[in-house]
Amino acid sequence: MFVTFEGIDGSGKSTQASRLYECLSGIFGKDMVLLTREPGGWSCGDMLRGLLLHHEWRSWSEFFLFMADRYEHVHEQIMPALSNGLVVICERYIDSTLAYQGWGRGLPIEEMERLFSLMSLPVPDLTILLDIPIKTAMDRIRSRRAPDRLEEEEFLGRVRCGYRHIFERNPQRIRCVSSDKDKDEVFTEIFRLVEAFMDESRRRR
């Protein structure tokens, strides 16, 4: 099972992905669940992550750096784990690129999707989209640290709109959860969705 978490910065992806990892590790065993993230979830990923988050790039350069990071991440971490029967939980994936570089930066969605298909990237079985108002997200970000260049308020507004479009286009794969509430309530809703997906998968076998 391949589960991804999506949403704008400050929506709670790291917190909820980690909680799901701990929960599923208790069910399947820690050696049967992989928690990873993008950018930077592979052996040399921290170098690319630093470049992406703290350096100003032209739009297509930024896109291809994200794609280089993803391609290495998929082949080094995600595909081997899936091939060995692990549950993979990934914080950010393809939908982030569409939302941030497509709706956020204005790159053509169709061309990006064509490149995704050429790379034969695995499609998540289930995506949890954490939706939150921009003001709440910015308050959370500022309470932790100074925002990085991908966390400007106007930019995140465009990205949030992008996520809404992606959700509307993929209602079978993506489940939208409001994260503008207590984190325990959010996780309860997430785990119910994951349980329902696992039950449905078992029935199909």
Side-chain angles (χ1 to χ4, degrees):
M1 181 170 65
F2 183 18
V3 181
T4 56
F5 278 81
E6 295 286 356
I8 64 171
D9 300 88
S11 60
K13 294 180 303 301
S14 297
T15 297
Q16 299 301 336
S18 295
R19 291 190 68 169
L20 183 61
Y21 168 75
E22 292 299 330
C23 188
L24 294 183
S25 292
I27 296 171
F28 300 113
K30 282 190 177 290
D31 60 339
M32 292 304 296
V33 186
L34 171 68
L35 174 63
T36 188
R37 68 174 186 179
E38 291 191 353
W42 54 290
S43 56
C44 296
D46 285 344
M47 176 177 62
L48 268 177
R49 183 179 178 87
L51 285 171
L52 281 161
L53 297 184
H54 304 298
H55 182 80
E56 194 68 38
W57 296 97
R58 292 177 177 84
S59 297
W60 278 114
S61 296
E62 180 179 84
F63 169 80
F64 282 112
L65 282 168
F66 273 113
M67 294 309 295
D69 176 85
R70 177 165 301 132
Y71 195 74
E72 294 300 323
H73 181 219
V74 163
H75 284 272
E76 182 183 290
Q77 298 290 329
I78 294 176
M79 288 181 69
L82 293 174
S83 296
N84 288 319
L86 274 68
V87 175
V88 175
I89 302 167
C90 186
E91 181 189 340
R92 296 202 182 285
Y93 192 56
I94 290 172
D95 297 316
S96 280
T97 304
L98 294 173
Y100 277 77
Q101 279 67 59
W103 275 270
R105 297 287 186 223
L107 294 181
I109 303 297
E110 297 80 7
E111 291 302 312
M112 289 193 291
E113 291 179 327
R114 186 175 65 84
L115 288 168
F116 295 158
S117 66
L118 288 174
M119 295 170 73
S120 300
L121 299 171
V123 178
D125 298 300
L126 176 66
T127 296
I128 306 296
L129 171 59
L130 297 177
D131 186 49
I132 191 170
I134 299 297
K135 183 181 183 305
T136 307
M138 292 304 299
D139 288 344
R140 288 183 180 181
I141 293 167
R142 290 176 180 132
S143 72
R144 300 194 302 255
R145 52 176 167 72
D148 65 38
R149 69 180 192 85
L150 296 178
E151 296 171 337
E152 299 167 355
E153 193 163 348
E154 183 180 344
F155 178 71
L156 287 184
R158 297 196 300 272
V159 172
R160 188 185 183 208
C161 288
Y163 272 126
R164 288 176 180 272
H165 282 283
I166 295 166
F167 168 61
E168 290 168 3
R169 291 171 59 197
N170 299 273
Q172 298 303 313
R173 172 174 61 86
I174 302 176
R175 300 290 184 272
C176 188
V177 176
S178 172
S179 59
D180 187 19
K181 54 191 174 187
D182 179 78
K183 62 184 179 182
D184 290 337
E185 290 181 54
V186 176
F187 182 70
T188 298
E189 187 173 348
I190 289 169
F191 191 67
R192 283 175 183 160
L193 291 170
V194 173
E195 275 190 315
F197 175 81
M198 291 191 295
D199 288 344
E200 180 64 26
S201 296
R202 282 192 288 267
R203 284 195 294 269
R204 290 175 183 169
R205 291 173 189 167

